[in-house]
Amino acid sequence: MSAPAAVVEVIVLTHLQESLRTATDADIAAIALHWAALHGHVADTARHLIDEEREYRAALAHDLEAAHTALVASMCPSTYWTATNGSTR
Protein backbone atom coordinates (compact mmCIF):
# COMPACT_ATOMS: atom_id res chain seq x y z
CA MET A 1 0.00 0.00 0.00
CA SER A 2 1.34 3.40 -0.92
CA ALA A 3 1.83 6.12 1.66
CA PRO A 4 -1.03 8.27 0.29
CA ALA A 5 -3.37 5.26 0.33
CA ALA A 6 -2.41 4.52 3.94
CA VAL A 7 -3.17 8.13 4.90
CA VAL A 8 -6.56 7.95 3.19
CA GLU A 9 -7.30 4.68 5.02
CA VAL A 10 -6.50 6.26 8.38
CA ILE A 11 -8.65 9.30 7.60
CA VAL A 12 -11.64 7.22 6.44
CA LEU A 13 -11.52 4.87 9.44
CA THR A 14 -11.00 7.72 11.92
CA HIS A 15 -13.98 9.57 10.47
CA LEU A 16 -16.06 6.38 10.62
CA GLN A 17 -15.11 5.74 14.24
CA GLU A 18 -15.99 9.30 15.23
CA SER A 19 -19.33 9.20 13.41
CA LEU A 20 -20.28 5.88 15.05
CA ARG A 21 -20.03 7.46 18.51
CA THR A 22 -22.88 9.88 17.78
CA ALA A 23 -24.88 7.78 15.32
CA THR A 24 -28.33 6.47 16.12
CA ASP A 25 -29.02 2.75 15.88
CA ALA A 26 -30.73 3.35 12.53
CA ASP A 27 -27.67 5.26 11.30
CA ILE A 28 -25.41 2.40 12.36
CA ALA A 29 -27.61 -0.08 10.49
CA ALA A 30 -27.35 2.05 7.34
CA ILE A 31 -23.58 2.44 7.73
CA ALA A 32 -23.22 -1.32 8.25
CA LEU A 33 -25.26 -1.98 5.11
CA HIS A 34 -22.98 0.33 3.13
CA TRP A 35 -19.77 -1.33 4.36
CA ALA A 36 -21.21 -4.84 3.95
CA ALA A 37 -21.30 -4.32 0.19
CA LEU A 38 -17.61 -3.36 0.00
CA HIS A 39 -14.54 -5.58 -0.10
CA GLY A 40 -10.97 -5.23 1.05
CA HIS A 41 -8.95 -4.41 4.12
CA VAL A 42 -10.59 -1.04 4.80
CA ALA A 43 -14.08 -2.55 4.54
CA ASP A 44 -13.10 -5.39 6.87
CA THR A 45 -11.75 -2.92 9.40
CA ALA A 46 -14.86 -0.75 9.07
CA ARG A 47 -17.13 -3.74 9.72
CA HIS A 48 -15.01 -4.58 12.76
CA LEU A 49 -15.40 -1.03 14.10
CA ILE A 50 -19.17 -1.22 13.55
CA ASP A 51 -19.34 -4.55 15.39
CA GLU A 52 -17.33 -3.08 18.28
CA GLU A 53 -19.72 -0.12 18.52
CA ARG A 54 -22.72 -2.44 18.58
CA GLU A 55 -21.13 -4.59 21.29
CA TYR A 56 -20.30 -1.48 23.33
CA ARG A 57 -23.87 -0.24 23.10
CA ALA A 58 -25.26 -3.64 24.08
CA ALA A 59 -22.94 -3.81 27.10
CA LEU A 60 -23.86 -0.26 28.09
CA ALA A 61 -27.58 -1.03 27.84
CA HIS A 62 -27.07 -4.13 29.99
CA ASP A 63 -25.10 -2.15 32.59
CA LEU A 64 -27.77 0.56 32.69
CA GLU A 65 -30.50 -2.02 33.15
CA ALA A 66 -28.57 -3.66 35.99
CA ALA A 67 -27.91 -0.27 37.62
CA HIS A 68 -31.59 0.66 37.31
CA THR A 69 -32.65 -2.62 38.91
CA ALA A 70 -30.22 -2.09 41.79
CA LEU A 71 -31.40 1.50 42.27
CA VAL A 72 -35.06 0.49 42.39
CA ALA A 73 -34.25 -2.33 44.81
CA SER A 74 -32.37 0.07 47.09
CA MET A 75 -35.35 2.44 47.14
CA CYS A 76 -37.88 -0.24 48.05
CA PRO A 77 -38.80 -0.71 51.69
CA SER A 78 -37.28 -3.72 53.36
CA THR A 79 -39.28 -6.92 53.68
CA TYR A 80 -39.37 -6.46 57.45
CA TRP A 81 -40.77 -2.94 57.16
CA THR A 82 -43.45 -4.11 54.69
CA ALA A 83 -44.40 -7.13 56.76
CA THR A 84 -44.85 -5.06 59.93
CA ASN A 85 -46.77 -2.31 58.14
CA GLY A 86 -44.08 0.20 58.97
CA SER A 87 -43.91 -0.63 62.65
CA THR A 88 -40.45 -0.45 64.18
CA ARG A 89 -41.29 -2.87 67.01
Side-chain angles (χ1 to χ4, degrees):
M1 176 184 301
S2 68
V7 170
V8 169
E9 177 183 344
V10 169
I11 292 170
V12 167
L13 293 175
T14 301
H15 176 71
L16 172 64
Q17 196 168 26
E18 289 173 0
S19 66
L20 287 174
R21 290 184 187 128
T22 58
T24 65
D25 290 341
D27 292 339
I28 290 178
I31 293 168
L33 188 61
H34 167 78
W35 285 101
L38 301 176
H39 302 284
H41 171 70
V42 175
D44 290 341
T45 306
R47 286 190 291 273
H48 177 74
L49 290 174
I50 293 166
D51 290 342
E52 282 184 345
E53 181 64 26
R54 285 178 168 163
E55 289 172 10
Y56 171 76
R57 289 179 182 212
L60 183 61
H62 174 74
D63 290 349
L64 287 174
E65 181 64 29
H68 178 260
T69 301
L71 176 63
V72 170
S74 72
M75 293 171 24
C76 292
S78 68
T79 305
Y80 174 80
W81 187 88
T82 305
T84 59
N85 200 19
S87 172
T88 57
R89 296 198 305 134

